[in-house]
Amino acid sequence: MINVPKLTQYQHRIETVLHHHLPDDTLAPSLLHHAMRYSALSGGKRVRPLLVYATGECFKVDKTSLDAPAAAIEFIHAYSLIHDDLPSMDDDHLRRGKATAHIAFDEATAILSGDALQTLAFQVLSTPLQTISTKNQLKIINLLAKTAGSLGMVGGQVIDLSSTGQKLTEKQLENMHLHKTGALIRASVMMGAYCAEDLSMAQEQALERYAHCIGLAFQVRDDILDIESDTETLGKQQGADIAANKATYPAILGMEAAQEKARLLYESAYDALSCFGNEADLLRKIADFIVTRKQ
Ligand code: GRG
């Protein structure tokens, strides 16, 4: 739960936007549409859309302009979770407190629903928007494509799969997470920023730094929760990283040093925002949430 009314409002807003863009499950192929809705609307913290809205707020971007990038990034995230849970990847049965897509449906439907969510993201993002210039819209589409692909999230997943069971250095672990988790988090912030017409180079660099730090902090916290939390709170199997022999920050650094790392990243994220005033308060609140979250 996020205890910040403005963020809760944005969480509600993105639910409505996701509902609106997802094909109705009475439409054929209805099983596929049912599976897409099942995964995309199954809860989740909606951190990535919140980052899009919060960054847009820094530049007073109209909320309606932010809806498309916010939905697109969440559709990409939903697709990545479906594919990540497959038997050929992490083989998980529980996600957001519910059966994973390949358990609730079947493997082929799960794969296809992930594929369709990915293309839906780009459909939503490429629909002409009245309030963003075409140049900026293309920049946003290009950013998301690069971020989600082989040089970003998918590349990170490849590193993850090939390094399971191996001893990684902290640098190698960081490289994996900067791709696997960090790429989408950075894109969320930068897509919100590219909706603004008056973004300066200094602001762009500050936001890149903020996003880099919270992206890593998000993963360090995720690794800590995998040890300290429980399956019910997490909505996914607790201890899954250890069971799968995955490299994690607590495993490499020890729990205390992992906690300290999250704290330092959080401080650097705050520091990165020093060129902004109150308009970036929501981004600060998201950083607070990322390092204190319980699920
Ligand atoms: C299979 C193409 C492909 C990519 C998979 C991002 C990713 C790469 C997999 C996600 C699996 C995972 C457990 C990643 C580690 C941290 C993370 C991104 C957790 C899930 O994100 P949250 O906590 O989830 O934002 P909710 O449910 O709140 O949306």
Side-chain angles (χ1 to χ4, degrees):
M1 279 301 274
I2 303 189
N3 249 340
V4 179
K6 194 88 188 266
L7 290 177
T8 313
Q9 280 168 24
Y10 279 131
Q11 279 178 322
H12 292 311
R13 183 179 181 96
I14 190 63
E15 292 309 314
T16 311
V17 175
L18 296 175
H19 265 280
H20 166 75
H21 287 299
L22 282 160
D24 201 282
D25 53 14
T26 55
L27 272 180
S30 61
L31 182 67
L32 181 73
H33 291 150
H34 184 36
M36 288 166 73
R37 297 184 75 89
Y38 175 87
S39 292
L41 301 174
S42 62
K45 298 177 288 296
R46 311 304 193 196
V47 166
R48 295 154 193 82
L50 291 181
L51 285 167
V52 176
Y53 288 120
T55 309
E57 269 210 4
C58 294
F59 303 95
K60 300 197 170 32
V61 177
D62 188 70
K63 282 197 253 311
T64 50
S65 309
L66 300 165
D67 287 337
I73 197 92
E74 189 63 19
F75 287 142
I76 295 284
H77 172 58
Y79 125 71
S80 81
L81 296 181
I82 297 170
H83 284 198
D84 186 65
D85 290 334
L86 289 170
S88 57
M89 302 222 196
D90 279 1
D91 195 12
D92 280 318
H93 290 200
L94 194 65
R95 167 75 62 189
R96 295 172 170 170
K98 288 168 67 178
T100 47
H102 63 280
I103 299 293
F105 298 87
D106 56 71
E107 200 175 337
T109 305
I111 293 171
L112 292 169
S113 67
D115 294 340
L117 283 167
Q118 178 173 201
T119 53
L120 179 61
F122 288 101
Q123 182 188 323
V124 169
L125 213 49
S126 58
T127 302
L129 291 166
Q130 263 134 34
T131 41
I132 303 181
S133 67
T134 311
K135 184 170 154 248
N136 281 1
Q137 196 174 352
L138 269 177
K139 197 167 169 180
I140 291 169
I141 296 169
N142 186 263
L143 172 68
L144 188 62
K146 273 198 205 143
T147 296
S150 62
L151 296 177
M153 180 185 73
V154 172
Q157 180 76 346
V158 171
I159 303 173
D160 186 0
L161 293 173
S162 63
S163 56
T164 299
Q166 288 187 20
K167 257 197 151 17
L168 297 189
T169 62
E170 188 184 348
K171 198 112 206 94
Q172 288 169 321
L173 184 66
E174 183 165 309
N175 179 49
M176 176 174 92
H177 290 312
L178 282 175
H179 288 80
K180 187 181 151 177
T181 316
L184 280 202
I185 291 189
R186 284 196 305 281
S188 308
V189 172
M190 299 321 292
M191 287 200 304
Y194 294 155
C195 287
E197 295 296 330
D198 54 351
L199 175 72
S200 73
M201 182 86 92
Q203 287 168 326
E204 184 171 359
Q205 284 170 356
L207 289 170
E208 293 262 17
R209 201 170 135 235
Y210 163 83
H212 171 96
C213 293
I214 59 157
L216 270 184
F218 186 93
Q219 188 59 53
V220 179
R221 183 72 190 150
D222 213 67
D223 288 355
I224 292 171
L225 287 174
D226 186 67
I227 295 170
E228 287 191 341
S229 192
D230 56 80
T231 300
E232 201 189 330
T233 313
L234 289 176
K236 61 182 181 181
Q237 185 60 52
Q238 181 269 339
D241 291 342
I242 295 171
N245 208 5
K246 293 216 174 196
T248 65
Y249 282 100
I252 288 180
L253 304 176
M255 184 55 92
E256 228 171 275
Q259 274 159 343
E260 176 64 3
K261 185 167 178 84
R263 197 184 62 76
L264 290 175
L265 285 164
Y266 167 78
E267 280 179 7
S268 300
Y270 253 68
D271 188 52
L273 294 179
S274 58
C275 64
F276 292 96
N278 296 348
E279 68 276 16
D281 275 355
L282 222 44
L283 285 178
R284 296 186 181 96
K285 295 275 181 213
I286 296 176
D288 296 345
F289 170 71
I290 281 175
V291 292
T292 56
R293 69 195 175 95
K294 302 275 183 259
Q295 57 166 170

